Amino acid sequence: MWREIAYWGKKLDDAGLVSSRFGNISVRTKNGLLIKRTGVMLGNITGPEDLVEVGLHPSEDDEDDSNESYASTETPSHRAIYLSTNAKAIIHAHPRFGIVESILQKDEVKPLDTEGLPFLGTIPIIDGETGTQVLYDNVYKLFATGKYKGALNRGHGSFAIGADLADCFNTTAMIEHSCFVKYHVDLAKK
């Protein structure tokens, strides 16, 4: 499994959809979820030691849950999505134009391109800072509707869900493409 995660992490990095240590990938497992270890760059996953498996619910009774402390800071967001959907995989990326549009638009980005509109419909924008209950509640509520494959977190990045990482990557790339097109069309109209 680590090789598949490494492959898609490298593709995200090569496509410019993440930078530095930003972004996360997770997959649902029998016991919870497998997620990138905190501080590891998605483009540099080199082995199973770069990933951490945690339960779908934080271990409140187990004070010695060392995996929990090494898991990505976005683990609660991933948990919220898995708990509200049947998704098997999640990609949280930092696409540049997606972030820009999440700041410029009020509640959603409506794609203008002929690929984005039928594939994504609209791209909802959710509020909540990283590491806050507001963000976890908002991703939970949004994806529980079953209407969306992806969303933008205002000023932060995108979340894409799917049956596998290829599906998540395609959604992430389409979000960025649609936001790129919208930004430039809106700029040309000024």
Side-chain angles (χ1 to χ4, degrees):
M1 181 59 67
W2 76 264
R3 284 182 175 86
E4 181 181 358
I5 292 172
Y7 173 81
W8 290 107
K10 180 87 169 95
K11 283 195 66 92
L12 286 163
D13 190 38
D14 289 348
L17 296 169
V18 294
S19 63
S20 186
R21 287 173 169 60
F22 304 140
N24 292 285
I25 292 178
S26 72
V27 293
R28 191 185 291 251
T29 65
K30 188 172 90 173
N31 298 320
L33 64 128
L34 188 62
I35 193 164
K36 178 188 75 84
R37 184 178 291 267
T38 190
V40 172
M41 295 181 188
L42 282 176
N44 293 334
I45 296 171
T46 59
E49 67 279 358
D50 293 330
L51 306 171
V52 178
E53 186 170 20
V54 296
L56 279 181
H57 300 279
S59 296
E60 296 172 7
D61 299 331
D62 187 0
E63 294 177 16
D64 188 35
D65 190 356
S66 59
N67 280 351
E68 199 69 34
S69 63
Y70 293 114
S72 164
T73 56
E74 284 295 341
T75 299
S77 297
H78 288 244
R79 281 184 171 129
I81 294 168
Y82 286 125
L83 290 170
S84 66
T85 70
N86 292 324
K88 301 292 184 205
I90 299 168
I91 288 178
H92 166 64
H94 290 240
R96 292 178 183 115
F97 284 92
I99 292 170
V100 169
E101 285 296 303
S102 77
I103 294 167
L104 294 174
Q105 304 304 317
K106 184 175 178 179
D107 297 320
E108 66 184 13
V109 175
K110 186 169 182 173
L112 303 175
D113 56 298
T114 59
E115 293 85 15
L117 193 55
F119 183 78
L120 297 169
T122 59
I123 307 162
I125 300 169
I126 53 175
D127 290 307
E129 293 182 30
T130 302
T132 65
Q133 190 65 45
V134 171
L135 176 59
Y136 312 146
D137 291 345
N138 286 340
V139 295
Y140 182 91
K141 289 175 196 170
L142 176 84
F143 285 110
T145 67
K147 296 179 185 177
Y148 304 102
K149 298 175 186 182
L152 291 166
N153 178 209
R154 191 174 312 282
H156 182 97
S158 63
F159 288 94
I161 66 171
D164 55 32
L165 290 172
D167 192 21
C168 296
F169 178 86
N170 289 335
T171 298
T172 302
M174 184 55 64
I175 287 171
E176 178 66 347
H177 175 77
S178 292
C179 288
F180 176 88
V181 170
K182 179 161 180 32
Y183 176 82
H184 285 91
V185 168
D186 289 348
L187 186 64
K189 289 179 179 178
K190 290 183 179 182

